[in-house]
Amino acid sequence: MERWDELWTNVHLATLAEPEGVGAMDDGALALTGDRIAWVGSRSELPGPPGELARRVRDGGGGWLTPGFVDSHTHLIFGGNRAREFERRLQGVTYEELAREGGGIRATVRATRAASTDDLVQGALGRARELLSHGVTTVEVKSGYGLDVETELRMLRAARRLQEETPLSVHATFLGAHALPDGYQGRREEYLELVVAETLPRAHEEGLVDSVDAFCESIAFTGEECARVFDAAVELCLPVRLHADQLSDGRGAELAARYGALSADHLEHTSEAGVRAMARAGVVAGLLPGAFYFLREEKTPPVELFRREGVPMMVATDLNPGSSPLRSPLLAMNMACTLFGLTPEEALAGVTRNGARALGLQDRIGTLEAGRDADLALWDVDDPAELAYWIGGNPCRAVVKGGRPAWSREGPTPGPPPDAVP
Ligand code: NIG
Ligand code: FE
């Protein structure tokens, strides 16, 4: 038998490989060859002594090994921040009011347009590395703070640079229909025409788009307007997803289902009919408790209905400067439990198996199974439920991406030296 490159022992495994539960395996072993997982099982089933089976034997120190986390909904590239708006919201001004007076997303659009691409990359790199240090190996990043051709392209190029300059895989989502930009009041049609006829095709041509998203909400775009963006995506054979039913029931879940979206996200106001439509179409429910918490919303997403109808639930940070400045997937898991009533097992599935599915990557990442990408996170916990239990702190000890060490608590993050970053 060919020797494996690496064999992890003295670890417990949460494989997430079954459709339910975390697939816990006490005293497991996991082998890697190249960038793939070669073998997963319990140590007692190993076909020989570890030292003979692999070139390198790694001691997991009795920790838990999980799939690398998938943060499947973020807006981590942006200029500026909105701490001042946070203060105003605490004084009683609502998120919608801020949006209507030209703040909110449009405030971040102005700051993002004013930033150089290098500045955008530098700001995002810090946040991306922080996610990596919390076990994330794949991150989704959206455009949507440019809203003109040039700045949308610059954001998406910055997303590709994040992939080059960190060990992370970056899935780039085009969100040209995030808000109606300044200067287009009363000219909604024209803005949508720009998005579907120019911005999206150009971004796609440059190879910058992995999926297409839109914000279906009273302060953003109607269902019909989002459908127009989706039609353009379908034309280019790009998968779609949707910011749906966050602040009101705009039948976003139904729209996402109609287009066979990868996921519909937020969903606080989704109706039972919406949930059933998602179930029939196999749409993942994207739960974003950071936005619910930070906007101090009161209506929670219909988690019990998702369970009953068999809709898979993903959990993500939604990391963005306005509604969810949340920089830890572990905190997102904790909030998904405390605020939305997920079990710690569901929360863990939400940032692994179901996060992968929300990006259409379920055949490659999100579980520990032979043949999958060797994306791993090692945790100093006695029970995987602790990943959703601690509030703050970071029990991550090491992260492996594609078979290579990507982050370790003991050492610096591998990657190009800082002076290689322009
Ligand atoms: O996912 N809901 C729309 N978009 C973001 C918020 C963006 C912002 O406020 O800057 C979200 O919550
Ligand atoms: Fe979002």
Side-chain angles (χ1 to χ4, degrees):
M1 195 191 90
E2 229 0 68
R3 284 216 294 173
W4 295 317
D5 287 346
E6 194 167 298
L7 176 62
W8 287 76
T9 59
N10 193 21
V11 281
H12 309 296
L13 306 178
T15 66
L16 279 298
E18 302 303 323
E20 302 283 329
V22 300
M25 207 181 273
D26 277 331
D27 200 12
L30 182 143
L32 315 180
T33 288
D35 59 0
R36 298 297 168 93
I37 297 172
W39 191 91
V40 181
S42 75
R43 176 150 60 169
S44 60
E45 291 161 3
L46 276 172
E52 286 173 23
L53 291 171
R55 276 181 258 282
R56 207 168 33 246
V57 178
R58 300 280 300 264
D59 183 342
W64 278 83
L65 205 53
T66 67
F69 283 5
V70 182
D71 194 353
S72 58
H73 181 141
T74 85
H75 308 246
L76 66 78
I77 297 174
F78 54 82
N81 71 67
R82 309 227 295 273
R84 283 297 165 89
E85 281 192 2
F86 174 49
E87 289 183 294
R88 290 192 59 208
R89 281 199 299 102
L90 292 173
Q91 287 155 7
V93 183
T94 68
Y95 185 66
E96 287 96 323
E97 282 162 355
L98 288 167
R100 293 210 168 87
E101 70 184 40
I105 293 170
R106 282 188 282 154
T108 298
V109 168
R110 288 189 286 276
T112 303
R113 287 179 182 173
S116 70
T117 307
D118 285 346
D119 288 343
L120 292 177
V121 172
Q122 284 311 317
L125 266 176
R127 295 184 280 270
R129 292 196 175 118
E130 208 169 354
L131 293 177
L132 174 69
S133 74
H134 287 82
V136 173
T137 48
T138 298
V139 64
E140 185 257 16
V141 177
K142 298 176 199 295
S143 72
Y145 291 128
L147 308 186
D148 60 24
V149 178
E150 189 207 321
T151 317
E152 285 291 303
L153 290 175
R154 289 201 299 117
M155 285 190 75
L156 292 164
R157 290 183 197 126
R160 291 293 187 236
R161 272 182 53 192
L162 283 185
Q163 162 136 343
E164 286 159 22
E165 294 179 21
T166 68
L168 293 163
S169 288
V170 177
H171 175 108
T173 299
F174 175 76
L175 180 56
H178 195 195
L180 190 68
D182 291 340
Y184 279 92
Q185 273 58 41
R187 298 194 294 136
R188 305 179 66 82
E189 266 294 299
E190 259 174 76
Y191 181 65
L192 283 162
E193 185 59 25
L194 178 76
V195 168
V196 302
E198 201 173 333
T199 322
L200 174 58
R202 280 189 51 188
H204 176 61
E205 230 174 74
E206 246 189 76
L208 298 173
V209 185
D210 301 316
S211 64
V212 174
D213 196 346
F215 187 15
C216 186
E217 190 56 65
S218 53
I219 53 169
F221 295 96
T222 65
E224 288 93 89
E225 288 169 338
C226 294
R228 189 161 163 209
V229 176
F230 282 3
D231 286 334
V234 170
E235 196 75 12
L236 299 171
C237 298
L238 290 167
V240 300
R241 48 201 311 208
L242 191 67
H243 282 72
D245 311 329
Q246 179 186 12
L247 309 168
S248 60
D249 180 8
R251 303 269 182 276
E254 287 90 333
L255 175 67
R258 190 141 42 83
Y259 280 84
L262 291 172
S263 76
D265 301 355
H266 289 288
L267 305 174
E268 279 82 347
H269 293 263
T270 297
S271 68
E272 187 164 349
V275 175
R276 276 202 238 98
M278 286 174 65
R280 279 194 300 274
V283 179
V284 174
L287 302 185
L288 309 174
F292 173 89
Y293 163 81
F294 196 65
L295 297 182
R296 302 203 291 172
E297 296 291 337
E298 279 162 9
K299 191 163 161 33
T300 56
V303 165
E304 200 41 56
L305 285 175
F306 294 138
R307 286 190 187 116
R308 199 184 74 199
E309 298 293 328
V311 175
M313 294 179 279
M314 70 76 160
V315 174
T317 60
D318 192 17
L319 172 41
N320 77 69
S323 68
S324 185
L326 172 57
R327 299 151 69 130
S328 160
L330 298 169
L331 258 181
M333 291 169 68
N334 176 270
M335 290 178 184
C337 296
T338 54
L339 302 174
F340 293 170
L342 265 65
T343 65
E345 291 200 348
E346 287 172 326
L348 182 54
V351 295
T352 54
R353 180 176 65 225
N354 292 339
R357 192 157 160 185
L359 300 181
L361 295 173
Q362 63 273 23
D363 295 333
R364 288 197 39 204
I365 58 173
T367 64
L368 301 179
E369 289 177 272
R372 300 295 163 97
D373 288 10
D375 292 1
L376 318 170
L378 179 67
W379 307 92
D380 275 329
V381 294
D382 296 323
D383 181 324
E386 282 181 63
L387 297 173
Y389 159 79
W390 296 105
I391 304 172
N394 181 15
C396 191
R397 194 191 313 160
V399 180
V400 172
K401 171 69 193 176
R404 292 163 175 230
W407 181 84
S408 137
R409 190 190 296 145
E410 276 83 51
T413 307
D419 59 2
V421 178

